[in-house]
Amino acid sequence: QVYVVFSEELKCWCRALVESVWCQADGYQLGCFLVDYAKCCYVASENIRILAGAFAKIPHRAKKCRLHCTKPLTLHIDYCENTAKIGPAKRWDTAAIQHFRKLLE
């Protein structure tokens, strides 16, 4: 379900999907994905509202997605043996992310 949340960073109300909820001493904190800005943010529970009828039917401008069966790789350099091999990584390298963005453009 899409809600409306107030983003402190953008200083405006935005449509969002709630992804997680944390209980804190001063209330609840919501992890949200802003569907029109493709950004993730944290919002206090008092800054969330139910989206009104007609606005709920407007299509999202952004969707969270992943590349199917694509795993991050990185270059492993062994200085002792003077070799370099491509192997699995836990995260995508910054250079790989930049290259992918250029391909999309």
Side-chain angles (χ1 to χ4, degrees):
Q1 183 176 352
V2 179
Y3 295 93
V4 179
V5 299
F6 186 78
S7 168
E8 294 290 336
E9 179 184 348
L10 300 171
K11 303 286 188 233
C12 65
W13 289 90
C14 309
R15 295 185 302 160
L17 294 171
V18 176
E19 295 183 328
S20 58
V21 179
W22 289 283
C23 182
Q24 298 194 340
D26 58 342
Y28 290 93
Q29 196 74 286
L30 308 167
C32 298
F33 176 71
L34 305 179
V35 297
D36 293 318
Y37 295 93
K39 289 182 137 193
C40 292
C41 69
Y42 297 101
V43 177
S45 59
E46 59 267 5
N47 290 335
I48 186 169
R49 306 288 187 270
I50 295 174
L51 190 58
F55 293 110
K57 295 177 184 172
I58 299 172
H60 303 165
R61 293 179 62 196
K63 288 187 179 184
K64 253 191 168 175
C65 60
R66 295 176 186 226
L67 297 174
H68 181 67
C69 295
T70 304
K71 305 286 183 191
L73 298 174
T74 190
L75 186 64
H76 297 283
I77 299 173
D78 187 347
Y79 292 104
C80 296
E81 295 184 19
N82 200 24
T83 60
K85 297 178 185 175
I86 293 179
K90 292 181 183 177
R91 298 177 53 132
W92 288 99
D93 290 341
T94 306
I97 294 169
Q98 290 173 351
H99 178 69
F100 182 71
R101 286 183 178 157
K102 285 180 185 176
L103 290 174
L104 289 175
E105 291 174 1

